[in-house]
Amino acid sequence: MRTGRYHHGDLRAALLAQAEKALQEHGPDALSLRELARELDVSHAAPSRHFRDKRALLDALALTGIQRVAAAARTRLATAGPAFDARLRAFARAYVDFAAERPALLELTFIRKHDPAVTDELRTAWQPLEDEVGQVVAQGQRDGLVRPGDTERIFNVLFTAVHGVAARAATGTLAGPALDQVLDDVLDHVLRGLAPAPGDTPLAPPAAPLC
């Protein structure tokens, strides 16, 4: 069904919004620049001013998805307070909620990220959020709440656990109170697994900067 004639404004944003809707309803294979132009009632050549081909459109859509996940996570982290447990749960909740609300878009971000022809911008787009959550893990180490070790490896364990819950939320096999319960249980187990073992040497706090 056509959404109505496109009159003015940001055509790129309108194309991405319409593409996301089509992605959710029909999947990436059904996306077509020509069809988007028809839906927005612009010339069939108009989308090419913003996306040279379908691959460029999918990359832009995937980048939008990553940016939205990151923004949602940062919003949650900003209001979670300083406690390690609360910050970890804030990140996980933001990610799982996004998966439940926009499953096709989240899936696309991973498909495009691992495409052999992925752009540098898209390949590195997750890094700022990973770094931010990595800092949460590092602070947990300094506070004696997380065992010493490579922060990136610990983040990968954490992310794999959270992504597993998100994948079930995206397919609809978990929803509502059941989803909340499973996410809480998974995080409880992860937190216990990350706790320092007897005999672990606490991570030293960072040295004060030299004046």
Side-chain angles (χ1 to χ4, degrees):
M1 183 172 134
R2 301 183 72 161
T3 58
R5 186 174 182 83
Y6 173 81
H7 294 288
H8 57 79
D10 189 343
L11 178 58
R12 186 179 190 278
L15 287 165
L16 286 172
Q18 188 65 26
E20 183 179 347
K21 180 181 177 183
L23 175 72
Q24 187 64 39
E25 293 176 352
H26 308 296
D29 291 342
L31 278 179
S32 160
L33 289 171
R34 184 178 290 272
E35 180 62 19
L36 290 177
R38 189 188 72 81
E39 290 286 345
L40 294 173
D41 210 0
V42 297
S43 74
H44 71 270
S48 65
R49 295 198 295 269
H50 302 279
F51 308 107
R52 65 181 180 278
D53 53 24
K54 180 178 175 178
R55 179 184 293 274
L57 171 67
L58 289 173
D59 283 350
L61 198 56
L63 184 60
T64 297
I66 295 171
Q67 291 168 341
R68 288 184 185 174
V69 173
R74 290 190 184 103
T75 297
R76 295 276 186 130
L77 286 168
T79 58
F84 172 69
D85 175 281
R87 292 177 68 74
L88 201 63
R89 292 180 188 277
F91 161 71
R93 187 78 256 179
Y95 188 81
V96 169
D97 283 352
F98 189 89
E101 293 165 6
R102 293 183 169 87
L105 185 56
L106 185 65
E107 181 182 10
L108 180 68
T109 67
F110 285 95
I111 292 173
R112 301 309 300 166
K113 178 184 178 183
H114 297 293
D115 187 287
V118 65
T119 63
D120 290 341
E121 182 181 28
L122 188 55
R123 186 176 57 251
T124 60
W126 282 105
Q127 197 60 51
L129 179 59
E130 291 177 6
D131 289 345
E132 192 163 345
V133 180
Q135 291 170 14
V136 173
V137 173
Q139 185 60 54
Q141 289 177 317
R142 289 192 289 271
D143 292 341
L145 301 173
V146 178
R147 64 182 55 198
D150 186 289
T151 302
E152 183 175 354
R153 290 183 64 181
I154 293 173
F155 169 81
N156 284 334
V157 170
L158 165 66
F159 181 76
T160 299
V162 173
H163 185 70
V165 179
R168 295 188 66 188
T171 60
T173 56
L174 278 177
L179 173 60
D180 295 339
Q181 185 64 64
V182 168
L183 181 58
D184 284 342
D185 289 346
V186 166
L187 291 174
D188 286 344
H189 283 289
V190 169
L191 286 164
R192 284 197 292 272
L194 293 181
D200 279 346
T201 302
L203 188 68
L210 297 175
C211 297

